[in-house]
Amino acid sequence: MRKLNRPTGHRMSMLRTMVSQLVKHERIETTVAKAKEVRCLADNMVELGKEGTLAAERQAAAFVRGDDVIHKLFTELAYRYRTREGGYTRLLRTRIRVGDSAEMAYIEFVDRENELRQAKPPTPQPPQRLPMDPWTRSRLTTQFAPPKEDENFRADI
């Protein structure tokens, strides 16, 4: 975890607020380093929302700020990402900040209205192959790699 040049209490408070604002507004602009940290935590909160249990709701309530944010996590975002396996957020680099030349980036949820870039379709998984028994495998490998012949054996013929 990046320390972001802050004491632990300040860093955790800042990240909790940023995750809450991301859930509430669905897109925020921040520095690239902070966005990378927020991305991991926001994905974990969406996973808790998809789980939907009372224990998950209490865990999320211990981290994010606001009842409206918790309600949105467990209703709207859980429904939107019910079939998605992961990768709920996207990081888009935008500009260099004038004051301190920090790299800025948008972090946003994917598959929503007014998103900056459309999400890529999931890559299809290759079909599962059944394991071969050792005898068939050894016969197949001899087809492709014949045994080496000895040079002395060729000289005699």
Side-chain angles (χ1 to χ4, degrees), residues 90-152:
R90 168 190 307 131
L91 189 130
L92 298 169
R93 294 170 189 257
T94 56
R95 63 188 174 99
I96 304 293
R97 189 162 55 193
V98 175
D100 59 354
S101 299
E103 282 187 272
M104 301 297 286
Y106 278 120
I107 180 167
E108 67 176 5
F109 283 111
V110 298
D111 297 335
R112 65 180 188 88
E113 295 179 11
N114 301 325
E115 61 184 343
L116 296 177
R117 193 181 76 207
Q118 294 296 319
K120 296 178 185 176
T123 56
Q125 295 296 324
Q128 293 291 331
R129 292 180 15 184
L130 296 173
M132 268 191 238
D133 63 304
W135 302 109
T136 308
R137 185 181 306 135
S138 65
R139 269 188 272 128
L140 287 175
T141 54
T142 56
Q143 289 179 13
F144 299 114
K148 292 183 180 180
E149 295 182 9
D150 192 14
E151 293 177 10
N152 296 335

Side-chain angles (χ1 to χ4, degrees), residues 1-19 34 37-38 41 63 65:
M1 180 179 225
R2 293 172 183 84
K3 294 191 177 180
L4 301 173
N5 202 18
R6 285 169 172 78
T8 306
H10 182 198
R11 181 176 62 245
M12 290 310 296
S13 177
M14 178 190 65
L15 291 174
R16 287 176 59 187
T17 304
M18 290 179 78
V19 169
K34 289 178 193 172
E37 288 301 310
V38 169
L41 296 170
F63 189 80
R65 301 173 191 266

